[in-house]
Amino acid sequence: MARFLAAEAFSSPSEELALLPFNFERTGTEQFLVSNMVGDFIRLTEDEINKLIDLKVTPGDGLYERAYAAHLITGSRQKSQQQLLALRLRSRMSFLREVTPLHMFVVTLRCEHSCPYCQVSRQSTDRSRFDMSEATAQRGLDIAFESKSSRIKIEFQGGEPLLNFGLIKMIVSAAQAKSAVLSKKVDFVVATNLALLDDTILAFCKANEILLSTSLDGPADLHNKNRPRPGGNSYELAVSGIRRAREALGPDRVGALMTTTEASLGRVDEIIDEYLKLGLDGIFLRPLSPFGFAIKTKQYHRYTAESWLDFYRRGLRRVLDINHQGTPFREFYSSLVLTRMLTDRPIGYVDLRSPAGIGIGALVYNYDGGVFASDEGRMLAETGDNAFRLGHVDEDNYRSLVLSDKLVDAISMSLTQCAPECSTCVFESHCGANPVHHHATQGDALGIKPLSDFCARQKGIMRHLLRIMDESPRDAAILRRWAGS
Amino acid sequence: MTLALSGTADRCRGFEQHTRSVIRLKALGDARSSAGADFTVVRTSDDLKRVIQDSHEAIFAIDDGTGCFLSSEGLPRRAITVPAQFSYLAPGDVIGIHTPSRKFRTLYRHNSRHNSFLVTERCNNYCLMCSQPPKDIDDRWILDEIRQSLPLLDKETRTLTFTGGEPLSDSVEFIGLLADCRDQLPKTAVQVLTNGRAFAKSEIVDAWRKVNHPSLIAAIPVYAAVDHVHDYVVQAKGAFDETILGILKLKDRGQRVEVRVVLHAQTAPIILDTCRWIARNLSFVDHVALMGLENTGFAIANEAQLWIDPIDYRAALADAVDVLVAAEVNVSVYNLQRCVLAQSVWPYAVQSISDWKNAFISECEPCTEKSRCAGFFSSGRPRRSKAISPIL
């Protein structure tokens, strides 16, 4: 029998070690948060991070083992550490394989609501001017079906899209015909306030497997204050609409989104309870976006990123407690962020991706035939800024839109992988570029990140989630369940 | 009970043309196969008389304890006679025999779910706990023997394992054998126990993939998330890097991979770290098996470095299983008794010990979990946890 060698015989001397790329930030006087190339986090002391950077680590000292397992170091002749990172990065970025899976049709800009935070600057009159024509819709569909995704989603937007229900019917039937011929699967969703929902519409949604997405801002007084309409009954119509839709289409066929206004800030528990009461399985705590009336009416500037974060943190606490009381219920944005942090699943969600999703994630066909790189892009256009208008359905095709200089420039200049502040940020792997937001707030698609409220919110959310994961095993067990599925 | 899977025949004649032969046992009265490899099982003098009356076919006589086959009188021209301890052998079983020495090995048992072929005793790892200590010898004849065996196996065989040594020591020949399995046993799932290092070479993975076997899995051990720990356990510097690369290349080509972690004093105390790392980095593997140690082979020689009472890693193992389950990794725990496992682990604990070396002890008699428990290895020098006690 040959002799066995002692453990020391298998250690690499430090001159055979090499550092792998990592980002870090100071979290306390002696503490650092460190993330590897694919965003796995570990915490190191100042002494440890200094030793690591100098490669003063030795097998058996504990730091070597932690750093190796976290892909911060590799043997200089080894390949597997880099290959593992490459493979995981490829998986994380594979949302790029599905090019432009989302196509939004603004079938009308008219709306019977008059929300002061309206991000799209709705119009109340003049059907001929603010409704999409059949010819425009047909051209939009041609472009949508040119995209290379094997499956596309068509989302009807407004205004209130149900005000032009006739066109929705036409688009659905034309898209289904194309889907059959081109064997490209197509899903539909209508973003609606549900005020105009009736049995005909429900039957149509049922027959065509159409999802509904609506707005619910919280309790009646808050919702009706945020979302005025003639009769002051937006809340009553939304709630009864959600109930009817769940009954007619199934509980998972209607989703609701809330928008945080200044008046919401102190009432997060009530808002969450409203969702719980309706039997919904979670809530998406969403800040106002800096577009349309939200800017014009100065709604957007009424609260800071920090006061929104405070609202979010209290909300998340409430959501976790609901889970501890035995009801599974999620905060959906946290869910997305956790999926990025704890798994390598490709997440194409628009705020959480770089390259940004403008154009290559979604295209928007406006009522007048203008084509935009994102929903926010067309919101900007309503207030006179055409920075993200890529072309027109009559003059362009999918290729000319997606390869336009305007789009390529905006995407390439906003990459978090190389943007100042982003490229060295410990949260980079899990964040997104959001060029439209930065264009809107700073006049520059890249933006100065220390001045960005988007950046402040993203970091605030991720720091908070990490803190909970570290400090409360009980909460962490719930958060882990939200990741991935 | 441990079955003797190899031994020496009392008599072996009629094989003048070959030094090694593979034969299959058949029942008395079964229609004679044309293969020439079929031997009728004879257990008594009456059986023998019947065979002789019917025809003069080849016989495989198993002593019934009376020594009735010790004389060659009345035996047909081609005959093998073996001692009574091989009475477990039955029709459908396949045996490889070296005729000059009369040494034989049971290669396949028709009524077993645990059939495995040892492919070679050579290996480029030298694991501290190896149950089959490697030998640097030319044993390529084994590949021929397996090649001859495959056509003799029941086409309905559910699973087959190839083990070693390192089965990919002669990768071209071994992968050829997998193609034979695909052609001759298309319904049989094949598992290959390999250290995975060969798959660091792309041409070997490509050849493996090209076999296009309908149900093939490579079961590859990973002992730690850290290079030097794994390399120490397998006593081969650079092994971790090659093994992980191999796993990545297999998965990159859509091949099925099981990761195996054998639990002993070098691996069990860090099992939670290892499984966290697997959950994060190798969550795409098809199965992870966390395996209690079989105290045999090198494990006995290295007991001082390896023995840990499973009860002492019970909590860490439970957490490790949790982490894998949460990451939606398919996980099983092998070779450990339910009384040393946290109850949360029971749903993942399987009866993994091959039937021929599986046993229970008298303490197990009243246990209500016995019918679901893995039990013990009867092989080697069994060492038991101090926590073994019936669950009542």
Side-chain angles (χ1 to χ4, degrees):
Chain A
M1 193 192 298
R3 246 196 258 124
F4 293 95
L5 299 174
E8 295 71 39
F10 300 94
S11 302
S12 304
S14 73
E15 59 270 21
E16 281 178 24
L17 293 179
L19 281 177
L20 291 165
F22 59 86
N23 287 349
F24 55 91
E25 79 169 18
R26 187 184 282 278
T27 54
T29 45
E30 289 279 299
Q31 291 294 318
F32 284 83
L33 179 66
V34 178
S35 68
N36 67 13
M37 262 193 92
V38 289
D40 297 333
F41 293 105
I42 66 168
R43 294 194 189 274
L44 296 178
T45 65
E46 184 150 14
D47 180 46
E48 286 170 334
I49 201 169
N50 285 330
K51 277 188 177 145
L52 179 66
I53 289 165
D54 294 337
L55 284 171
K56 286 185 179 148
V57 290
T58 321
D61 67 5
L63 179 57
Y64 177 97
E65 285 71 23
R66 288 170 65 207
Y68 193 93
H71 304 288
L72 306 180
I73 53 172
T74 179
S76 46
R77 279 179 301 203
Q78 293 177 345
K79 289 189 188 146
S80 65
Q81 292 282 80
Q82 278 136 302
Q83 287 301 319
L84 261 176
L85 286 173
L87 173 107
R88 292 183 54 194
L89 195 59
R90 190 174 71 181
S91 168
R92 298 177 67 84
M93 301 299 283
S94 62
F95 61 82
L96 290 167
R97 284 192 190 138
E98 288 288 292
V99 186
T100 322
L102 177 60
H103 299 267
M104 301 191 210
F105 286 76
V106 182
V107 292
T108 180
L109 202 57
R110 291 182 294 124
C111 186
E112 29 58 73
H113 275 63
S114 51
C115 310
Y117 64 39
C118 182
Q119 293 155 13
V120 306
S121 316
R122 58 91 192 79
Q123 297 292 328
S124 46
T125 53
D126 205 347
R127 174 176 283 265
S128 61
R129 201 170 144 214
F130 295 108
D131 279 15
M132 182 181 270
S133 73
E134 282 199 17
T136 297
Q138 199 60 257
R139 253 320 278 153
L141 275 179
D142 290 344
I143 294 169
F145 275 87
E146 281 172 42
S147 75
K148 297 291 174 238
S149 274
S150 55
R151 181 171 195 152
I152 61 172
K153 182 190 267 184
I154 290 179
E155 181 173 318
F156 298 104
Q157 275 284 356
E160 169 47 50
L162 293 183
L163 283 170
N164 198 1
F165 183 56
L167 189 70
I168 292 179
K169 287 202 286 191
M170 178 243 128
I171 293 175
V172 167
S173 117
Q176 282 165 345
K178 274 182 174 294
S179 164
V181 176
L182 301 170
S183 58
K184 197 188 282 282
K185 190 115 175 37
V186 59
D187 303 306
F188 302 98
V189 57
V190 184
T192 167
N193 59 42
L194 296 177
L196 303 172
L197 191 70
D198 61 25
D199 289 341
T200 315
I201 293 168
L202 277 174
F204 179 77
C205 290
K206 174 120 187 131
N208 294 287
E209 296 179 20
I210 297 172
L211 287 166
L212 296 176
S213 169
T214 194
S215 297
L216 181 67
D217 280 2
D221 68 302
L222 178 63
H223 181 98
N224 285 336
K225 180 169 180 254
N226 283 351
R227 303 179 60 79
R229 80 183 294 278
N233 60 349
S234 175
Y235 170 85
E236 287 72 17
L237 291 172
V239 165
S240 78
I242 290 170
R243 290 215 170 97
R244 285 173 70 192
R246 283 166 61 89
E247 205 165 293
L249 309 176
D252 56 341
R253 305 301 288 174
V254 55
L257 286 171
M258 61 78 64
T259 300
T260 312
T261 60
E262 189 187 14
S264 319
L265 290 178
R267 304 181 62 178
V268 71
D269 287 5
E270 290 171 77
I271 296 170
I272 290 166
D273 288 354
E274 197 65 40
Y275 276 69
L276 197 60
K277 206 167 70 189
L278 273 167
L280 296 165
D281 58 356
I283 189 166
F284 199 125
L285 296 176
R286 204 170 56 143
L288 259 180
S289 298
F291 306 104
F293 290 175
I295 293 287
K296 224 184 211 169
T297 61
K298 303 210 166 31
Q299 291 277 325
Y300 180 68
H301 299 289
R302 296 255 175 92
Y303 59 82
T304 61
E306 191 40 52
S307 50
W308 184 83
L309 277 171
D310 186 52
F311 168 84
Y312 163 82
R313 286 187 288 255
R314 281 183 281 117
L316 186 61
R317 182 69 261 150
R318 172 77 188 152
V319 170
L320 286 167
D321 289 342
I322 289 167
N323 282 279
H324 291 314
Q325 285 154 20
T327 310
F329 191 82
R330 292 180 183 196
E331 197 287 299
F332 291 121
Y333 194 66
S334 306
S335 228
L336 282 166
V337 172
L338 287 162
T339 302
R340 293 225 65 167
M341 295 202 305
L342 301 178
T343 79
D344 297 323
R345 280 170 219 227
I347 302 292
Y349 183 77
V350 60
D351 284 359
L352 292 175
R353 57 177 283 179
S354 173
I358 47 174
I360 57 173
L363 281 173
V364 182
Y365 310 93
N366 209 2
Y367 64 96
D368 60 0
V371 183
F372 291 88
S374 77
D375 205 23
E376 293 80 6
R378 64 114 178 177
M379 296 170 185
L380 282 174
E382 293 302 332
T383 47
D385 179 351
N386 279 317
F388 296 96
R389 187 181 187 278
L390 301 179
H392 192 278
V393 292
D394 292 338
E395 290 143 26
D396 289 286
N397 56 30
Y398 177 75
R399 209 182 148 78
S400 70
L401 294 163
V402 163
L403 294 180
S404 63
D405 288 350
K406 215 180 225 183
L407 184 67
V408 173
D409 282 354
I411 292 174
S412 56
M413 79 183 295
S414 66
L415 293 169
T416 59
Q417 289 86 347
C418 46
E421 293 288 322
C422 294
S423 63
T424 54
C425 175
V426 74
F427 301 111
E428 191 278 325
S429 296
H430 312 307
C431 198
N434 217 344
V436 189
H437 181 97
H438 292 109
H439 174 86
T441 52
Q442 300 188 17
D444 170 34
L446 175 59
I448 298 169
K449 295 294 157 44
L451 304 177
S452 161
D453 61 328
F454 170 76
C455 174
R457 275 196 312 270
Q458 293 284 90
K459 284 182 169 179
I461 289 170
M462 290 194 233
R463 282 191 192 119
H464 187 59
L465 290 171
L466 281 180
R467 190 175 315 128
I468 296 180
M469 304 275 281
D470 277 354
E471 289 172 7
S472 166
R474 195 162 160 262
D475 291 340
I478 288 162
L479 293 182
R480 273 198 294 272
R481 253 178 264 148
W482 294 0
S485 48
Chain B
M1 170 199 71
T2 310
L3 294 183
L5 295 182
S6 63
T8 306
D10 297 321
R11 190 176 305 281
C12 171
R13 67 181 205 191
F15 293 90
E16 289 72 20
Q17 279 147 19
H18 304 283
T19 54
R20 293 188 189 277
S21 286
V22 176
I23 65 157
R24 173 170 61 189
L25 307 189
K26 78 178 197 66
L28 191 62
D30 266 9
R32 186 167 183 172
S33 145
S34 56
D38 285 325
F39 280 61
T40 303
V41 176
V42 168
R43 295 180 194 274
T44 63
S45 333
D46 285 350
D47 287 352
L48 182 58
K49 275 182 208 144
R50 280 184 56 200
V51 176
I52 307 278
Q53 273 167 13
D54 289 356
S55 61
H56 274 270
E57 56 196 44
I59 64 149
F60 187 89
I62 305 168
D63 193 293
D64 61 357
T66 62
C68 61
F69 303 121
L70 286 178
S71 129
S72 63
E73 212 172 307
L75 293 181
R77 193 183 64 79
R78 299 178 74 210
I80 299 169
T81 64
V82 300
Q85 71 187 115
F86 297 99
S87 61
Y88 70 83
L89 289 169
D93 293 356
V94 175
I95 284 154
I97 186 159
H98 180 243
T99 48
S101 66
R102 303 191 315 274
K103 283 191 173 145
F104 70 93
R105 293 182 304 138
T106 305
L107 300 176
Y108 168 84
R109 285 180 302 128
H110 185 253
N111 67 358
S112 172
R113 296 183 296 116
H114 301 283
N115 279 297
S116 67
F117 283 98
L118 179 116
V119 176
T120 176
E121 293 190 81
R122 283 165 290 145
C123 189
N124 52 347
N125 281 356
Y126 204 75
C127 301
L128 294 176
M129 65 295 182
C130 185
S131 59
Q132 184 72 49
K135 290 184 192 141
D136 189 12
I137 49 169
D138 182 1
D139 55 9
R140 282 173 292 180
W141 60 269
I142 299 177
L143 285 159
D144 291 328
E145 187 179 79
I146 298 170
R147 201 170 297 122
Q148 289 175 50
S149 306
L150 294 177
L152 304 178
L153 308 193
D154 185 349
K155 305 283 181 224
E156 301 299 320
T157 302
R158 301 260 297 274
T159 62
L160 213 54
T161 298
F162 290 105
T163 177
E166 169 51 47
L168 285 149
S169 296
D170 300 297
S171 64
V172 174
E173 292 78 0
F174 178 68
I175 290 170
L177 215 53
L178 295 177
D180 291 351
C181 288
R182 172 201 63 201
D183 297 339
Q184 292 173 21
L185 298 162
K187 295 189 213 165
T188 306
V190 172
Q191 172 180 246
V192 180
L193 308 186
T194 163
N195 62 41
R197 293 174 63 184
F199 298 117
K201 294 198 176 77
S202 296
E203 61 272 23
I204 294 180
V205 200
D206 288 335
W208 176 280
R209 181 184 56 81
K210 274 193 198 122
V211 171
N212 206 10
H213 191 285
S215 178
L216 172 65
I217 190 162
I220 301 175
V222 174
Y223 294 119
V226 185
D227 53 355
H228 68 90
V229 180
H230 178 93
D231 288 358
Y232 168 58
V233 172
V234 306
Q235 292 282 303
K237 192 154 166 58
F240 178 79
D241 198 49
E242 288 181 3
T243 293
I244 300 302
L245 266 183
I247 292 170
L248 298 185
K249 289 191 180 187
L250 282 166
K251 288 313 297 177
D252 188 48
R253 288 158 178 80
Q255 302 304 295
R256 294 170 68 230
V257 173
E258 170 180 286
V259 163
R260 301 187 143 205
V261 190
V262 178
L263 298 162
H264 51 61
Q266 302 298 321
T267 58
I270 54 168
I271 191 60
L272 181 53
D273 291 332
T274 305
C275 288
R276 276 201 186 113
W277 181 85
I278 292 172
R280 206 66 186 83
N281 293 283
L282 298 177
S283 62
F284 46 79
V285 298
D286 301 87
H287 185 228
V288 172
L290 308 177
M291 308 169 54
L293 179 67
E294 180 180 3
N295 208 37
T296 188
F298 285 165
I300 297 172
N302 291 315
E303 207 165 9
Q305 285 82 36
L306 297 179
W307 169 253
I308 178 171
D309 188 327
I311 198 70
D312 294 333
Y313 61 76
R314 168 194 180 114
L317 182 62
D319 290 344
V321 168
D322 260 8
V323 164
L324 291 172
V325 170
E328 293 170 34
V329 176
N330 207 353
V331 56
S332 303
V333 173
Y334 288 176
N335 309 346
L336 288 167
Q337 305 75 37
R338 295 204 159 204
C339 52
V340 300
L341 293 173
Q343 213 162 331
S344 66
V345 173
W346 290 7
Y348 307 97
V350 298
Q351 295 177 301
S352 48
I353 300 176
S354 300
D355 53 359
W356 62 273
K357 53 180 176 180
N358 193 196
F360 287 88
I361 55 174
S362 57
E363 286 96 314
C364 299
E365 283 317 311
C367 180
T368 53
E369 287 295 320
K370 188 183 166 197
S371 64
R372 288 172 288 276
C373 184
F376 300 90
F377 285 105
S378 60
S379 47
R381 192 190 295 159
R383 196 161 167 184
R384 290 176 198 123
S385 168
K386 61 181 176 286
I388 296 296
S389 66
I391 296 157
L392 301 169

